[in-house]
Amino acid sequence: MQNTRSLRPSTIRAGVLVVLGASVGIVAYLNYRDILTYGFTATDTLTLIATSRINTIQDALGLLTKPLMAGSGFVEFAQFYRPVASFSYGLDYSRWGLNPLGYHLTDLALHATASVLVFATMIVITRGRRVASWLGALSFASHPILAETVPAIARRHDTIALIFMLVCLCLFAMRYWTGTKRGYVMLCASIVSYVCALGAKETAILMPIMV
């Protein structure tokens, strides 16, 4: 059997990062696991689900061209373009129907993903400071301000936008660590992530300032 001494330092470091990242995801899950017992939360949830259902290709294309909650009275007061977030409701409905468990499961998975991405992004921008990155990610995963976002199905737009913004920032920073060709690919992927973030919520327009 291969013992620890024969392992390369890079392999050990990668293993440590995986363990730390996994622990952040577990903490994020444990903090909000009770939402799996909730019903539909937040005022606009059912309207968002009803206007985001995907039964045909035309429905899917319609989400790309219509404002948020098109067909409801909401558009008479405000119009937002958030097709990426709307797709998430459509996918949930196609799988879960009107079972709130599935929607909260998605929100919980999104929160855990965002928390792990906070850790990964901090590792990249701090050049591998594991303890600081881990503590920062744990702080995010457990922060009480998220109690207004994670349990509310209608507010997952924020989490989805954050996920793509973190991917954008992480890839943009990582391109300096790689060769020219791979760096160009990462830059293109970073731009695509930024566009997806804008499609989740318009506040992602601040991403260039973060970069």
Side-chain angles (χ1 to χ4, degrees):
M1 295 180 62
Q2 188 179 33
N3 56 43
T4 305
R5 292 182 180 179
S6 63
L7 294 176
R8 295 181 179 179
S10 59
T11 303
I12 296 175
R13 286 195 295 269
V16 171
L17 292 177
V18 170
V19 171
L20 292 177
S23 68
V24 170
I26 291 172
V27 169
Y29 166 78
L30 293 176
N31 281 334
Y32 289 97
R33 66 187 183 278
D34 288 343
I35 69 172
L36 297 178
T37 63
Y38 292 2
F40 286 111
T41 53
T43 305
D44 297 326
T45 295
L46 291 176
T47 306
L48 284 166
I49 295 172
T51 56
S52 301
R53 289 180 292 183
I54 301 175
N55 297 314
T56 64
I57 296 178
Q58 286 72 22
D59 292 338
L61 294 176
L63 293 180
L64 296 174
T65 58
K66 297 177 182 179
L68 186 71
M69 293 194 282
S72 70
F74 178 80
V75 295
E76 298 178 5
F77 301 96
Q79 293 192 15
F80 299 99
Y81 182 69
R82 300 175 182 176
V84 175
S86 296
F87 265 112
S88 74
Y89 296 113
L91 292 175
D92 272 351
Y93 181 80
S94 64
R95 174 63 181 85
W96 300 100
L98 291 177
N99 183 355
L101 170 65
Y103 297 86
H104 287 300
L105 188 62
T106 298
D107 289 340
L108 192 56
L110 289 172
H111 174 57
T113 300
S115 299
V116 173
L117 283 173
V118 168
F119 173 71
T121 303
M122 292 185 68
I123 283 290
V124 171
I125 64 178
T126 63
R127 300 272 179 153
R129 294 185 179 181
R130 291 173 291 186
V131 175
S133 300
W134 183 65
L135 292 176
L138 287 179
S139 175
F140 170 83
S142 307
H143 204 288
I145 197 172
L146 297 177
E148 294 186 354
T149 302
V150 180
I153 298 172
R155 293 175 186 157
R156 70 169 57 164
H157 310 79
D158 298 278
T159 309
I160 296 175
L162 175 63
I163 287 173
F164 283 112
M165 290 171 72
L166 289 171
V167 172
C168 172
L169 183 60
C170 190
L171 289 174
F172 188 85
M174 286 177 64
R175 72 190 182 95
Y176 291 107
W177 294 14
T178 60
T180 304
K181 185 176 181 180
R182 184 175 297 180
Y184 176 76
V185 173
M186 287 186 174
L187 177 60
C188 292
S190 177
I191 294 174
V192 171
S193 297
Y194 175 51
V195 173
C196 290
L198 286 172
K201 192 170 183 180
E202 56 282 346
T203 51
I205 198 171
L206 297 174
M207 192 67 232
I209 298 177
M210 293 177 62
V211 170

